[in-house]
Amino acid sequence: MDPEVSVLLHCAQWKGLLQTQVHVELSERFNRQTDPALERHIEEVWTARLAKEPWLFNGTKFRLHSFSLMPSKHPLCPHEDQTRQTQCDSDLCAAQSETKLTNCMNDLQRESKGDVPSIRPLLTLTLGLTCYKDYLGTNWSSQVEELRQRGEVEYGDPLALLAQPLGVGAVLFTHDGHVVLIRRSQRVAEAGGQLDIPGGHPEPEAVSECPVTMATLQQRPEAVVSELFSSVCAEIRDEVNVPLCSLTAPILMGVALNHTSAGRPSAEFYVSCSLTSDEVRSLYWKGGAEAHESTDIVFLSRTELEQLHRSSPLWSELCPSAKGAVMLYQRVRPDGDQSMLHKGTTAH
């Protein structure tokens, strides 16, 4: 395993989830905990950061608190309190819950035969609100280990004082079977110069009129889910400069944790494109809305992506979010047998 990243949640049993299979629960109970001293520290960190990078913008973000996988009688994690599932090590949970997942799939098979009442496996994400300033002042703070210890002691949750904004990313495949990577600019706040997948954040402002309020978001949970899925396509459009009409509906592969930023979560999706790699390359170099965030585009064959691992020379060039997406793709395989269609293709 790579110490920079781990898998919190994977949807391999269903080869990924569609938008209709994901629910959200929103509440201020899922916001981070705080106190006056921490707020002063966050303000100091933000002020210092702005002095070096005045282009930074403090936008509202969704905070991932926990998750549960339905039906509830077969939870993904065997912990008693499912509101603490973000604390679970995904690989340990997956191993411990193998029997429960098998039972769940048996129920689903019986359901398809009409032997039991209809039950669909649904992922529920519990979300609060946070912002980019809080993210830099907690997850990226020099005091982050102290914050984690305080969270554990005071709230029984090492993440209680951290912002934990939920990001999104896409393993984007072209029509001729190549995955798209972009080289991050040195001007971006994180992982400058490294290879990444297209990605960003779902935006609460896209769901609620400013100022964003939890009460408004709670009235539109379906719109929040829609923003979660549509935002990853918007990031592809803005960063790679391909039209939305060329993209398929995103498939959620799971959630990865970036341990270089104290376990910050990112929902990783599989998206395919009707354009070839040459067409995508041409559009990229024409420049999109967020062309300033990257300096180059790189294509890997499906075979190369499937075989990519920690010992591969290219692995060290990937930023943590890209590593997490690769790990999820290799585990979930949302494209199924299509992965066999492009054996022997080369990266270019």
Side-chain angles (χ1 to χ4, degrees), residues 79-161:
H79 292 201
E80 292 181 3
D81 182 2
Q82 290 193 14
T83 64
R84 294 289 311 285
Q85 285 181 324
T86 50
Q87 311 310 316
C88 303
D89 179 89
S90 61
D91 291 322
L92 177 62
C93 288
Q96 292 177 337
S97 60
E98 187 70 30
T99 300
K100 292 186 176 182
L101 281 172
T102 300
N103 290 339
C104 182
M105 291 306 297
N106 288 339
D107 279 356
L108 293 173
Q109 290 172 359
R110 289 197 300 272
E111 168 198 331
S112 66
K113 298 177 182 179
D115 297 335
V116 296
S118 179
I119 301 174
R120 280 204 307 171
L122 297 176
L123 173 66
T124 298
L125 303 175
T126 55
L127 303 176
L129 287 175
T130 186
C131 65
Y132 191 66
K133 179 174 77 172
D134 290 358
Y135 170 56
L136 293 182
T138 59
N139 288 67
W140 275 103
S141 169
S142 60
Q143 301 178 16
V144 67
E145 287 307 315
E146 177 185 338
L147 293 177
R148 290 178 63 92
Q149 293 173 11
R150 280 187 53 200
E152 182 64 48
V153 171
E154 298 175 18
Y155 302 98
D157 179 0
L159 304 179
L161 296 169

Coordinates of all heavy atoms in Angstrom, one line a residue, residues 79-161:
H79 N -18.6 -2.1 12.0 CA -18.6 -1.3 13.2 C -20.1 -1.1 13.7 O -21.0 -1.0 13.0 CB -18.0 0.0 13.0 CG -16.5 -0.1 12.8 ND1 -15.6 0.9 13.0 CD2 -15.7 -1.2 12.3 CE1 -14.4 0.5 12.6 NE2 -14.5 -0.7 12.2
E80 N -20.2 -1.0 15.0 CA -21.6 -0.8 15.6 C -22.2 0.5 15.2 O -23.4 0.6 14.9 CB -21.5 -1.0 17.1 CG -21.2 -2.4 17.6 CD -21.1 -2.5 19.1 OE1 -21.4 -1.5 19.8 OE2 -20.8 -3.6 19.6
D81 N -21.4 1.6 15.2 CA -21.9 2.9 15.0 C -21.5 3.3 13.6 O -20.4 3.6 13.3 CB -21.3 3.9 16.0 CG -21.8 5.3 15.8 OD1 -22.7 5.5 14.9 OD2 -21.4 6.2 16.5
Q82 N -22.5 3.3 12.6 CA -22.2 3.6 11.2 C -21.9 5.0 11.0 O -21.3 5.4 10.0 CB -23.3 3.1 10.3 CG -23.5 1.6 10.3 CD -24.4 1.2 9.2 OE1 -24.7 2.0 8.3 NE2 -24.8 -0.1 9.2
T83 N -22.2 5.9 11.9 CA -21.8 7.3 11.8 C -20.3 7.5 11.9 O -19.9 8.6 11.6 CB -22.5 8.2 12.8 OG1 -22.1 7.8 14.1 CG2 -24.0 8.0 12.8
R84 N -19.6 6.5 12.3 CA -18.2 6.6 12.4 C -17.4 5.9 11.3 O -16.2 5.6 11.4 CB -17.7 6.0 13.8 CG -18.2 6.8 15.0 CD -17.5 8.1 15.1 NE -16.1 8.0 15.0 CZ -15.3 7.5 16.0 NH1 -15.9 7.1 17.1 NH2 -14.0 7.4 15.8
Q85 N -18.1 5.6 10.2 CA -17.5 4.7 9.2 C -16.3 5.4 8.5 O -15.5 4.8 7.9 CB -18.5 4.3 8.2 CG -19.4 3.2 8.8 CD -20.4 2.6 7.8 OE1 -20.9 3.4 7.0 NE2 -20.7 1.4 7.9
T86 N -16.2 6.7 8.5 CA -15.1 7.4 7.9 C -13.8 7.0 8.6 O -12.7 7.3 8.1 CB -15.3 8.9 7.9 OG1 -15.6 9.3 9.2 CG2 -16.3 9.3 6.9
Q87 N -13.9 6.5 9.9 CA -12.7 6.2 10.6 C -12.2 4.8 10.2 O -11.1 4.4 10.7 CB -13.0 6.2 12.1 CG -13.8 7.4 12.6 CD -13.1 8.7 12.1 OE1 -11.9 8.8 12.2 NE2 -13.8 9.6 11.6
C88 N -13.0 4.0 9.5 CA -12.6 2.6 9.2 C -11.5 2.6 8.2 O -11.5 3.3 7.2 CB -13.8 1.8 8.7 SG -15.2 1.9 9.8
D89 N -10.6 1.7 8.4 CA -9.6 1.4 7.3 C -10.3 0.5 6.3 O -10.8 -0.6 6.6 CB -8.4 0.7 7.8 CG -7.4 0.3 6.7 OD1 -6.6 1.1 6.4 OD2 -7.6 -0.8 6.2
S90 N -10.4 1.0 5.0 CA -11.2 0.3 4.1 C -10.8 -1.1 3.8 O -11.7 -2.0 3.6 CB -11.2 1.1 2.8 OG -9.9 1.2 2.2
D91 N -9.5 -1.4 3.7 CA -9.1 -2.7 3.4 C -9.4 -3.7 4.5 O -9.8 -4.8 4.3 CB -7.6 -2.7 3.1 CG -7.3 -2.0 1.8 OD1 -8.0 -2.1 0.8 OD2 -6.2 -1.3 1.8
L92 N -9.2 -3.2 5.8 CA -9.6 -4.0 6.9 C -11.1 -4.3 6.9 O -11.5 -5.4 7.1 CB -9.1 -3.3 8.2 CG -9.5 -4.1 9.5 CD1 -8.8 -5.4 9.5 CD2 -9.1 -3.2 10.7
C93 N -11.9 -3.2 6.7 CA -13.3 -3.4 6.7 C -13.8 -4.3 5.6 O -14.6 -5.2 5.8 CB -14.0 -2.0 6.5 SG -13.9 -0.9 7.9
A94 N -13.2 -4.2 4.4 CA -13.6 -5.0 3.3 C -13.3 -6.5 3.6 O -14.1 -7.4 3.3 CB -12.8 -4.6 2.0
A95 N -12.1 -6.8 4.3 CA -11.8 -8.1 4.6 C -12.7 -8.7 5.7 O -13.2 -9.8 5.6 CB -10.3 -8.2 5.1
Q96 N -13.0 -7.9 6.7 CA -13.8 -8.3 7.8 C -15.3 -8.5 7.4 O -16.0 -9.3 8.0 CB -13.7 -7.3 9.0 CG -12.4 -7.3 9.7 CD -12.3 -6.2 10.7 OE1 -13.1 -5.3 10.7 NE2 -11.4 -6.4 11.7
S97 N -15.7 -7.8 6.4 CA -17.1 -7.8 6.0 C -17.4 -8.7 4.8 O -18.4 -8.6 4.2 CB -17.6 -6.4 5.8 OG -16.9 -5.8 4.7
E98 N -16.4 -9.5 4.4 CA -16.6 -10.3 3.2 C -17.8 -11.2 3.3 O -18.6 -11.3 2.3 CB -15.4 -11.2 3.0 CG -15.4 -12.0 1.7 CD -15.1 -11.0 0.5 OE1 -14.4 -10.0 0.7 OE2 -15.6 -11.4 -0.6
T99 N -18.1 -11.8 4.4 CA -19.2 -12.6 4.6 C -20.5 -11.8 4.5 O -21.5 -12.2 3.8 CB -19.2 -13.3 5.9 OG1 -18.0 -14.2 6.0 CG2 -20.4 -14.2 6.1
K100 N -20.5 -10.6 5.1 CA -21.7 -9.8 5.1 C -22.0 -9.3 3.6 O -23.2 -9.3 3.2 CB -21.6 -8.6 6.0 CG -21.5 -9.0 7.5 CD -21.5 -7.8 8.4 CE -21.6 -8.2 9.8 NZ -21.6 -7.0 10.7
L101 N -21.0 -9.0 2.9 CA -21.2 -8.6 1.5 C -21.7 -9.7 0.7 O -22.5 -9.6 -0.2 CB -19.9 -8.0 0.9 CG -19.5 -6.6 1.4 CD1 -18.1 -6.2 0.9 CD2 -20.5 -5.6 0.8
T102 N -21.2 -10.9 1.0 CA -21.6 -12.1 0.2 C -23.1 -12.3 0.5 O -23.9 -12.6 -0.4 CB -20.8 -13.3 0.6 OG1 -19.5 -13.1 0.3 CG2 -21.3 -14.6 -0.1
N103 N -23.5 -12.2 1.8 CA -24.9 -12.4 2.2 C -25.8 -11.3 1.5 O -26.9 -11.6 1.0 CB -25.1 -12.2 3.7 CG -24.5 -13.4 4.4 OD1 -24.3 -14.5 3.8 ND2 -24.2 -13.2 5.7
C104 N -25.2 -10.1 1.4 CA -26.0 -9.0 0.7 C -26.2 -9.3 -0.7 O -27.3 -9.2 -1.3 CB -25.2 -7.7 0.9 SG -26.0 -6.3 0.1
M105 N -25.2 -9.8 -1.4 CA -25.3 -10.2 -2.8 C -26.3 -11.3 -3.0 O -27.0 -11.4 -4.0 CB -23.9 -10.5 -3.4 CG -23.0 -9.3 -3.5 SD -23.8 -7.9 -4.4 CE -23.9 -8.6 -6.0
N106 N -26.2 -12.3 -2.1 CA -27.2 -13.4 -2.2 C -28.6 -12.9 -2.1 O -29.5 -13.4 -2.8 CB -26.9 -14.4 -1.1 CG -25.6 -15.2 -1.3 OD1 -25.2 -15.3 -2.5 ND2 -25.1 -15.8 -0.3
D107 N -28.8 -11.9 -1.2 CA -30.2 -11.3 -1.0 C -30.6 -10.7 -2.3 O -31.7 -10.7 -2.8 CB -30.2 -10.3 0.1 CG -30.4 -11.0 1.5 OD1 -30.5 -12.2 1.5 OD2 -30.3 -10.3 2.5
L108 N -29.6 -10.0 -3.0 CA -29.9 -9.2 -4.2 C -30.2 -10.2 -5.3 O -31.1 -10.0 -6.2 CB -28.7 -8.3 -4.6 CG -28.5 -7.2 -3.6 CD1 -27.2 -6.5 -4.0 CD2 -29.6 -6.2 -3.7
Q109 N -29.5 -11.4 -5.3 CA -29.8 -12.4 -6.3 C -31.2 -13.0 -6.1 O -32.0 -13.2 -7.1 CB -28.7 -13.5 -6.3 CG -27.4 -13.0 -6.8 CD -26.3 -14.0 -6.5 OE1 -26.6 -15.1 -6.0 NE2 -25.1 -13.7 -7.0
R110 N -31.6 -13.2 -4.9 CA -32.9 -13.7 -4.6 C -34.0 -12.7 -4.9 O -35.0 -13.0 -5.4 CB -33.0 -14.1 -3.1 CG -32.2 -15.3 -2.7 CD -32.7 -15.9 -1.4 NE -32.6 -14.9 -0.3 CZ -31.5 -14.8 0.4 NH1 -30.4 -15.5 0.2 NH2 -31.4 -13.9 1.4
E111 N -33.6 -11.4 -4.7 CA -34.5 -10.3 -5.1 C -34.8 -10.4 -6.6 O -36.0 -10.2 -7.0 CB -33.9 -9.0 -4.7 CG -34.6 -7.8 -5.3 CD -33.7 -6.5 -5.2 OE1 -32.9 -6.5 -4.4 OE2 -33.9 -5.7 -6.1
S112 N -33.8 -10.6 -7.4 CA -33.9 -10.6 -8.8 C -34.8 -11.7 -9.3 O -35.5 -11.7 -10.4 CB -32.6 -10.6 -9.5 OG -32.0 -11.9 -9.3
K113 N -34.9 -12.8 -8.5 CA -35.7 -13.9 -8.8 C -37.1 -13.8 -8.2 O -38.0 -14.7 -8.3 CB -35.1 -15.2 -8.3 CG -33.7 -15.5 -8.9 CD -33.1 -16.7 -8.3 CE -31.7 -17.0 -8.9 NZ -31.1 -18.2 -8.3
G114 N -37.3 -12.7 -7.5 CA -38.6 -12.5 -6.8 C -38.8 -13.2 -5.5 O -40.0 -13.3 -5.0
D115 N -37.7 -13.7 -4.9 CA -37.8 -14.5 -3.7 C -38.0 -13.6 -2.4 O -38.4 -14.0 -1.4 CB -36.6 -15.4 -3.5 CG -36.5 -16.4 -4.6 OD1 -37.6 -16.7 -5.2 OD2 -35.4 -16.9 -4.9
V116 N -37.5 -12.3 -2.5 CA -37.6 -11.4 -1.4 C -38.1 -10.1 -1.9 O -38.1 -9.8 -3.1 CB -36.2 -11.2 -0.7 CG1 -35.7 -12.5 -0.1 CG2 -35.2 -10.7 -1.8
P117 N -38.6 -9.2 -1.0 CA -39.0 -7.9 -1.4 C -37.9 -7.1 -2.1 O -36.7 -7.3 -1.8 CB -39.5 -7.2 -0.1 CG -39.8 -8.4 0.8 CD -38.9 -9.5 0.4
S118 N -38.2 -6.2 -3.0 CA -37.2 -5.5 -3.8 C -36.4 -4.6 -2.8 O -36.9 -3.8 -2.1 CB -37.9 -4.6 -4.8 OG -37.0 -3.9 -5.5
I119 N -35.1 -4.8 -2.9 CA -34.1 -4.0 -2.2 C -33.0 -3.6 -3.1 O -32.4 -4.4 -3.8 CB -33.5 -4.8 -1.0 CG1 -34.6 -5.2 0.0 CG2 -32.5 -3.9 -0.2 CD1 -34.1 -6.1 1.1
R120 N -32.7 -2.3 -3.2 CA -31.6 -1.9 -4.0 C -30.4 -1.4 -3.1 O -30.6 -0.7 -2.1 CB -32.0 -0.7 -4.9 CG -32.7 -1.1 -6.1 CD -32.6 0.0 -7.2 NE -33.0 1.3 -6.7 CZ -32.8 2.4 -7.4 NH1 -32.2 2.4 -8.6 NH2 -33.1 3.6 -7.0
P121 N -29.2 -1.8 -3.4 CA -28.0 -1.3 -2.6 C -27.8 0.2 -2.9 O -27.6 0.6 -4.0 CB -26.9 -2.1 -3.2 CG -27.2 -2.5 -4.6 CD -28.8 -2.7 -4.6
L122 N -28.0 1.0 -1.9 CA -27.8 2.4 -2.1 C -26.7 2.9 -1.1 O -26.7 2.5 0.0 CB -29.1 3.2 -1.7 CG -30.3 2.9 -2.7 CD1 -31.5 3.6 -2.2 CD2 -30.0 3.3 -4.1
L123 N -25.9 3.8 -1.6 CA -24.9 4.4 -0.8 C -25.4 5.7 -0.3 O -26.0 6.5 -1.0 CB -23.6 4.7 -1.6 CG -22.5 5.6 -1.0 CD1 -21.9 4.8 0.2 CD2 -21.5 6.0 -2.0
T124 N -25.3 5.9 1.0 CA -25.7 7.2 1.7 C -24.5 7.9 2.2 O -23.8 7.3 3.0 CB -26.7 7.0 2.8 OG1 -27.9 6.4 2.3 CG2 -27.1 8.3 3.5
L125 N -24.3 9.1 1.7 CA -23.2 10.0 2.2 C -23.8 11.0 3.2 O -24.7 11.7 2.9 CB -22.5 10.7 1.1 CG -21.9 9.8 0.0 CD1 -21.4 10.7 -1.2 CD2 -20.8 8.9 0.5
T126 N -23.2 11.1 4.4 CA -23.6 12.1 5.3 C -22.7 13.3 5.2 O -21.5 13.2 5.4 CB -23.6 11.6 6.8 OG1 -22.3 11.0 7.1 CG2 -24.7 10.5 6.9
L127 N -23.3 14.4 4.9 CA -22.5 15.6 4.5 C -22.8 16.8 5.4 O -24.0 17.1 5.8 CB -22.8 16.0 3.1 CG -22.5 15.0 2.0 CD1 -23.0 15.5 0.6 CD2 -21.1 14.6 2.0
G128 N -21.8 17.5 5.8 CA -21.9 18.9 6.4 C -21.4 19.9 5.5 O -21.2 19.7 4.3
L129 N -21.1 21.1 6.0 CA -20.5 22.2 5.2 C -19.1 22.6 5.8 O -18.9 22.5 7.0 CB -21.4 23.4 5.1 CG -22.7 23.2 4.3 CD1 -23.5 24.5 4.4 CD2 -22.3 23.0 2.8
T130 N -18.2 23.0 4.9 CA -17.0 23.5 5.3 C -16.5 24.5 4.3 O -17.3 25.0 3.5 CB -15.9 22.4 5.5 OG1 -14.7 22.9 6.0 CG2 -15.6 21.7 4.2
C131 N -15.3 24.9 4.2 CA -14.8 25.8 3.2 C -13.3 25.6 3.0 O -12.6 24.9 3.8 CB -15.1 27.3 3.6 SG -14.2 27.8 5.1
Y132 N -12.8 26.2 2.0 CA -11.4 26.0 1.6 C -10.4 26.6 2.6 O -9.4 26.0 2.9 CB -11.1 26.6 0.2 CG -9.7 26.3 -0.3 CD1 -9.5 24.9 -0.7 CD2 -8.7 27.2 -0.5 CE1 -8.3 24.6 -1.2 CE2 -7.5 26.8 -1.0 CZ -7.3 25.5 -1.4 OH -6.0 25.1 -1.9
K133 N -10.8 27.7 3.2 CA -10.0 28.3 4.3 C -9.8 27.4 5.5 O -8.7 27.2 6.0 CB -10.6 29.6 4.7 CG -9.8 30.3 5.9 CD -10.3 31.7 6.2 CE -11.5 31.6 7.1 NZ -11.9 32.9 7.6
D134 N -10.9 26.8 5.9 CA -10.9 25.8 7.0 C -10.0 24.6 6.6 O -9.4 24.0 7.5 CB -12.3 25.4 7.4 CG -13.1 26.5 8.0 OD1 -12.5 27.6 8.2 OD2 -14.2 26.3 8.3
Y135 N -10.1 24.2 5.3 CA -9.3 23.1 4.9 C -7.8 23.3 5.0 O -7.0 22.5 5.6 CB -9.6 22.8 3.4 CG -8.7 21.8 2.7 CD1 -8.5 20.5 3.2 CD2 -8.1 22.1 1.5 CE1 -7.7 19.6 2.5 CE2 -7.3 21.2 0.8 CZ -7.1 20.0 1.3 OH -6.3 19.1 0.7
L136 N -7.4 24.5 4.6 CA -5.9 24.9 4.7 C -5.5 25.0 6.2 O -4.4 24.7 6.6 CB -5.7 26.2 4.0 CG -5.8 26.1 2.4 CD1 -5.4 27.4 1.8 CD2 -4.9 25.0 1.9
G137 N -6.5 25.5 7.0 CA -6.2 25.7 8.4 C -6.3 24.5 9.3 O -5.9 24.6 10.5
T138 N -6.8 23.4 8.8 CA -6.9 22.2 9.6 C -6.2 21.0 8.9 O -5.1 20.6 9.4 CB -8.4 21.8 9.8 OG1 -9.1 21.6 8.6 CG2 -9.1 22.9 10.6
N139 N -6.7 20.5 7.8 CA -6.0 19.4 7.2 C -4.6 19.7 6.8 O -3.7 18.8 6.8 CB -6.8 19.0 5.9 CG -8.1 18.3 6.2 OD1 -9.0 18.9 6.8 ND2 -8.2 17.0 5.9
W140 N -4.3 20.9 6.4 CA -3.0 21.3 6.0 C -2.2 22.1 7.0 O -1.1 22.5 6.8 CB -3.0 22.2 4.7 CG -3.1 21.3 3.4 CD1 -4.2 21.1 2.7 CD2 -2.0 20.6 2.8 NE1 -3.9 20.3 1.6 CE2 -2.6 19.9 1.7 CE3 -0.7 20.4 3.1 CZ2 -1.8 19.1 0.9 CZ3 0.1 19.6 2.3 CH2 -0.5 19.0 1.2
S141 N -2.7 22.1 8.2 CA -2.1 22.9 9.3 C -0.8 22.1 9.8 O -0.8 20.9 9.8 CB -3.0 23.1 10.4 OG -2.4 23.6 11.6
S142 N 0.2 22.8 10.3 CA 1.3 22.2 10.9 C 0.9 21.6 12.2 O 1.7 20.7 12.8 CB 2.4 23.3 11.2 OG 1.9 24.3 12.0
Q143 N -0.2 21.9 12.7 CA -0.7 21.4 14.0 C -1.8 20.2 13.8 O -2.5 19.9 14.7 CB -1.4 22.5 14.8 CG -0.5 23.6 15.2 CD -1.2 24.7 15.9 OE1 -2.3 24.5 16.5 NE2 -0.6 25.9 16.0
V144 N -1.8 19.7 12.6 CA -2.8 18.7 12.3 C -2.8 17.5 13.2 O -3.9 17.0 13.6 CB -2.7 18.3 10.8 CG1 -1.5 17.5 10.5 CG2 -4.0 17.5 10.4
E145 N -1.6 17.0 13.5 CA -1.6 15.8 14.4 C -2.1 16.1 15.8 O -2.8 15.3 16.4 CB -0.1 15.3 14.5 CG 0.3 14.6 13.3 CD -0.6 13.5 12.9 OE1 -1.1 12.7 13.7 OE2 -0.9 13.4 11.6
E146 N -1.9 17.4 16.3 CA -2.5 17.8 17.5 C -4.0 17.9 17.4 O -4.7 17.5 18.3 CB -1.9 19.2 17.9 CG -2.5 19.7 19.2 CD -2.0 21.1 19.5 OE1 -0.9 21.5 19.0 OE2 -2.7 21.9 20.3
L147 N -4.5 18.4 16.3 CA -5.9 18.4 16.1 C -6.6 17.1 16.0 O -7.7 16.9 16.5 CB -6.2 19.2 14.8 CG -5.8 20.7 14.7 CD1 -6.1 21.3 13.3 CD2 -6.6 21.5 15.8
R148 N -5.9 16.1 15.4 CA -6.4 14.8 15.4 C -6.4 14.1 16.8 O -7.4 13.5 17.1 CB -5.5 13.9 14.5 CG -5.6 14.2 13.0 CD -4.7 13.4 12.1 NE -5.1 12.0 12.2 CZ -5.9 11.3 11.4 NH1 -6.5 12.0 10.4 NH2 -6.1 10.0 11.6
Q149 N -5.4 14.4 17.6 CA -5.4 13.9 18.9 C -6.5 14.5 19.8 O -7.2 13.8 20.5 CB -4.0 14.1 19.6 CG -2.9 13.3 18.9 CD -1.5 13.7 19.5 OE1 -1.4 14.5 20.4 NE2 -0.5 13.2 18.8
R150 N -6.7 15.8 19.6 CA -7.8 16.5 20.4 C -9.1 16.0 19.9 O -10.0 15.8 20.8 CB -7.7 18.0 20.1 CG -6.7 18.8 20.9 CD -6.8 20.3 20.6 NE -8.2 20.7 20.9 CZ -8.8 21.8 20.4 NH1 -8.1 22.6 19.7 NH2 -10.0 22.1 20.7
G151 N -9.3 15.8 18.7 CA -10.6 15.2 18.2 C -10.9 13.9 18.8 O -12.0 13.6 19.2
E152 N -9.9 13.0 18.9 CA -10.1 11.7 19.5 C -10.4 11.8 20.9 O -11.3 11.1 21.4 CB -8.8 10.9 19.3 CG -8.9 9.5 19.8 CD -10.0 8.6 19.1 OE1 -10.0 8.6 17.8 OE2 -10.8 8.0 19.8
V153 N -9.7 12.7 21.7 CA -9.9 12.8 23.1 C -11.2 13.5 23.4 O -12.0 13.0 24.3 CB -8.7 13.5 23.8 CG1 -9.0 13.8 25.2 CG2 -7.4 12.7 23.6
E154 N -11.5 14.6 22.7 CA -12.7 15.4 23.1 C -14.0 14.9 22.5 O -15.0 15.1 23.0 CB -12.4 16.8 22.7 CG -11.2 17.5 23.4 CD -10.9 18.9 22.9 OE1 -11.8 19.5 22.3 OE2 -9.7 19.3 23.1
Y155 N -13.9 14.3 21.3 CA -15.1 13.9 20.6 C -15.2 12.4 20.2 O -16.1 12.0 19.6 CB -15.3 14.8 19.3 CG -15.3 16.2 19.6 CD1 -14.2 17.0 19.5 CD2 -16.5 16.9 20.1 CE1 -14.2 18.4 19.8 CE2 -16.5 18.2 20.3 CZ -15.4 19.0 20.2 OH -15.4 20.3 20.5
G156 N -14.1 11.7 20.5 CA -14.1 10.3 20.1 C -13.9 10.1 18.6 O -14.3 9.1 18.0
D157 N -13.4 11.1 17.9 CA -13.3 11.1 16.5 C -12.1 11.9 16.0 O -12.1 13.2 16.2 CB -14.6 11.7 15.8 CG -14.5 11.8 14.3 OD1 -13.5 11.4 13.7 OD2 -15.5 12.3 13.7
P158 N -11.0 11.3 15.5 CA -9.8 12.1 15.2 C -10.0 13.1 14.0 O -9.2 14.0 13.8 CB -8.8 11.0 14.8 CG -9.7 9.8 14.4 CD -10.9 9.9 15.3
L159 N -11.1 13.0 13.3 CA -11.4 13.9 12.2 C -12.4 15.0 12.6 O -12.7 15.9 11.8 CB -12.0 13.1 11.0 CG -11.2 12.0 10.5 CD1 -11.9 11.3 9.3 CD2 -9.8 12.4 10.1
A160 N -12.8 15.0 13.9 CA -13.9 16.0 14.3 C -13.5 17.4 14.1 O -14.4 18.2 13.8 CB -14.2 15.7 15.8
L161 N -12.2 17.8 14.2 CA -11.8 19.2 14.1 C -11.3 19.5 12.7 O -10.9 20.7 12.4 CB -10.7 19.5 15.1 CG -11.1 19.4 16.6 CD1 -9.9 19.4 17.5 CD2 -12.1 20.5 16.9

